[in-house]
Amino acid sequence: MPLYEFYCEKCKKEVSMTLTIGERERGEYKCPGCGSKKLQPLMGTFFSKTSRKS
Ligand SMILES: [Zn+2]
């Protein structure tokens, strides 16, 4: 199961959790700390920043 990183707008901090692809696609995830669903995925932005270095 892949590990995903999110930024929780409620806790104002980064959280990481393991999700199945299906859970990720359907948005079936919430902050382990506060239970909020206001999570912003961090991985996508992180990778596009580092891999584009031409
Ligand atoms: Zn939270």
Side-chain angles (χ1 to χ4, degrees):
M1 240 184 268
L3 180 73
Y4 292 99
E5 294 200 309
F6 299 90
Y7 177 80
C8 176
E9 291 182 2
K10 250 189 155 179
C11 299
K12 300 230 190 303
K13 67 176 185 183
E14 293 168 23
V15 296
S16 54
M17 60 192 114
T18 49
L19 301 170
T20 64
I21 304 294
E23 282 172 336
R24 171 83 171 73
E25 296 272 300
R26 294 192 299 268
E28 289 179 358
Y29 49 85
K30 56 186 179 182
C31 175
C34 67
S36 168
K37 285 197 164 187
K38 288 205 165 191
L39 297 171
Q40 302 199 352
L42 290 179
M43 260 171 107
T45 51
F46 179 76
F47 274 119
S48 60
K49 256 183 199 168
T50 50
S51 59
R52 289 208 172 206
K53 212 182 178 187
S54 54

